[in-house]
Amino acid sequence: MKGKIGLVVGLGVGYVLGTRAGRERYDQIKTQWLKVWNLDPVQAQVSKVKGFAKEQAAAVPQALWKGAVKVVKAASADGTPGQRVDAAVATAKDAIDDVKDAAEDTLDAVEKKAKEASKPATKPASKPAAKKSTQSGS
């Protein structure tokens, strides 16, 4: 999917930058693009993407912050210096797993949304009526 989108974008940019018509054709293309960009359905999708991105962007930094807090608490807990180091290392490993899980969850959510967005919106097809037999029995 990324490759197809990149190809289309690359072709579009190449055409715009390489066109012999110059500035006039560029302005025409830009005007048409802005008309499409400002359509209500397009802006509705842009709003959905922005909202989704804001939701997903918070997951990884939260996991990082919580992990850092846990490591600091473990390092400053009671015990010998060796015990505190061991506790901090063990907590850091757990925190790394939490960050990894948060990143994977975010990636899974993005992939799910991408699949949903790439599916065409189609109406369920009605079943065709059964054909009557035109053969006569002998």
Side-chain angles (χ1 to χ4, degrees):
M1 183 72 173
K2 286 182 184 178
K4 291 178 184 177
I5 293 172
L7 178 65
V8 170
V9 170
L11 288 173
V13 169
Y15 176 76
V16 170
L17 295 177
T19 185
R20 292 181 184 221
R23 183 69 181 189
E24 183 177 321
R25 181 67 181 146
Y26 167 78
D27 288 338
Q28 288 175 346
I29 293 169
K30 182 179 174 185
T31 301
Q32 292 301 318
W33 167 251
L34 289 175
K35 284 181 184 178
V36 170
W37 180 255
N38 291 321
L39 290 173
D40 289 337
V42 173
Q43 288 303 309
Q45 292 299 321
V46 169
S47 296
K48 285 182 184 179
V49 170
K50 284 181 181 178
F52 177 75
K54 286 179 184 177
E55 290 172 12
Q56 296 304 316
V60 174
Q62 285 177 348
L64 283 169
W65 178 255
K66 288 178 182 178
V69 169
K70 288 178 183 178
V71 170
V72 169
K73 286 182 180 180
S76 61
D78 290 336
T80 66
Q83 291 172 333
R84 290 188 295 196
V85 168
D86 291 342
V89 169
T91 304
K93 288 179 181 178
D94 291 340
I96 289 169
D97 290 338
D98 292 343
V99 171
K100 180 182 172 188
D101 291 342
E104 288 174 350
D105 291 345
T106 300
L107 180 61
D108 291 343
V110 169
E111 288 174 346
K112 181 180 175 185
K113 281 287 188 179
K115 286 180 184 177
E116 289 174 6
S118 67
K119 289 182 184 176
T122 58
K123 295 180 183 176
S126 60
K127 294 182 180 178
K131 295 182 180 179
K132 293 184 180 179
S133 176
T134 57
Q135 296 177 345
S136 59
S138 5

